[in-house]
Amino acid sequence: MTKKLDINGTTLAYDESGSGSPVLLLHAGIADRRMWHGVLPALADRHRVIALDLRGYGDSALPPDPFAHHDDVVAALDALGIAQAALVGCSFGGAVAVDTALAYPDRVSALALFGAAVSGHEWSEETEELWERLVGEVDPEDLAASAAGEVRFWVVGPHRRPEDVDPALVTFAEELDRRALAAEQALSAVDVAELDPPAIDRLGELRLPVLVTAGAADVPDIVRLADRIAAEVPGAVRLPDVPDAAHLLPLERPEPVATALRDFLG
């Protein structure tokens, strides 16, 4: 059953399970909290696990007022009575997790990053060329076509063919992404504050346990970002890339993700 938090002038949706040390799961920009459905129950025997829909995504509302996602994360922790939590992020959710740890270092006990983006990172020409080769031009008003293109790029990935990937995963990912694209269209009309300065040149400021990995079939920029996070964050743990998995790693391969988290979080 979906739960709701009233914070910062909006309503955020979340799922919660288990008890113990708190863990907050932050979804990719092409998805919502449902991408964690295979990971959440695997952690709930020893952790209080919350999967949150960021503002505008999934079942969370989007009022027109200016906001910052990292402020919402901390307000959600406040509303849940959590002084400090481990943040687990995939893709855009990873960027929000890192921003939160930099903006509110006393509120974050650990970071686990799966195919994470980082605020301030600029995509390489290689990524743009891969998009042109794999997807090409898509009408942004056609959410179904846009979702199909993004899933081909991110969820199938540049190193696999669509027929190599579970059709049920592709179908569910396209449904998640259609909803996320509608959220992004709405978010484009709202003033969303970014971390200033952004995280990409501040990774060395992180002073907490950090776990980082990616799917071996993800786009090269994401794998390189994982390498950069591991190189620049003192003491970060870089796990090997997960075979036969792309950008929605926790959705596609929940078992190794859950195992890594259980080992890392203790």
Side-chain angles (χ1 to χ4, degrees):
M1 179 179 176
T2 299
K3 299 181 178 181
K4 298 288 183 72
L5 295 170
D6 292 321
I7 58 124
N8 287 350
T10 193
T11 302
L12 300 187
Y14 69 103
D15 298 322
E16 181 176 2
S17 185
S19 61
S21 59
V23 178
L24 184 66
L25 309 176
L26 299 171
H27 60 80
I30 60 171
D32 55 48
R33 74 185 194 280
R34 290 175 291 166
M35 66 167 285
W36 297 104
H37 67 139
V39 174
L40 189 151
L43 301 177
D45 63 332
R46 61 178 73 175
H47 299 285
R48 181 185 179 187
V49 191
I50 299 108
L52 184 71
D53 274 340
L54 294 167
R55 189 185 301 217
Y57 290 89
D59 295 313
S60 290
L62 181 65
D65 308 311
F67 77 100
H69 286 295
H70 50 274
D71 292 338
D72 278 356
V73 168
V74 170
L77 295 180
D78 289 342
L80 291 163
I82 296 172
Q84 192 177 60
L87 302 186
V88 180
C90 174
S91 185
F92 174 65
V96 173
V98 172
D99 285 355
T100 305
L102 289 169
Y104 300 95
D106 59 326
R107 304 302 301 273
V108 183
S109 59
L111 286 174
L113 306 171
F114 297 91
V118 178
S119 63
H121 168 73
E122 295 186 5
W123 298 107
S124 68
E125 289 186 12
E126 178 187 8
T127 296
E128 296 174 4
E129 290 167 0
L130 276 173
W131 178 272
E132 289 302 316
R133 177 167 64 84
L134 295 173
V135 181
E137 190 170 344
V138 179
D139 179 2
E141 298 301 317
D142 186 340
L143 295 187
S146 295
E150 289 198 343
V151 168
R152 171 65 186 92
F153 187 77
W154 292 109
V155 180
V156 175
H159 309 301
R160 301 187 293 185
R161 300 170 300 173
E163 56 266 32
D164 296 332
V165 179
D166 181 359
L169 171 69
V170 171
T171 298
F172 184 49
E174 288 183 1
E175 192 273 318
L176 287 171
D177 195 28
R178 283 194 298 273
R179 194 167 183 182
L181 285 164
E184 289 179 356
Q185 286 186 349
L187 282 160
S188 67
V190 178
D191 183 8
V192 184
E194 307 289 343
L195 187 70
D196 185 23
I200 192 64
D201 294 320
R202 300 175 59 189
L203 296 171
E205 296 177 27
L206 293 169
R207 293 291 190 270
L208 75 172
V210 174
L211 176 76
V212 60
T213 189
D218 208 337
V219 300
D221 267 22
I222 291 294
V223 176
R224 287 192 286 264
L225 266 178
D227 292 338
R228 179 169 177 177
I229 293 166
E232 296 187 15
V233 175
V237 175
R238 172 69 160 98
L239 293 183
D241 295 334
V242 178
D244 195 27
H247 199 51
L248 290 188
L249 174 56
L251 176 63
E252 186 173 9
R253 298 283 181 262
E255 296 86 359
V257 168
T259 297
L261 285 171
R262 288 168 67 90
D263 291 344
F264 174 64
L265 296 172

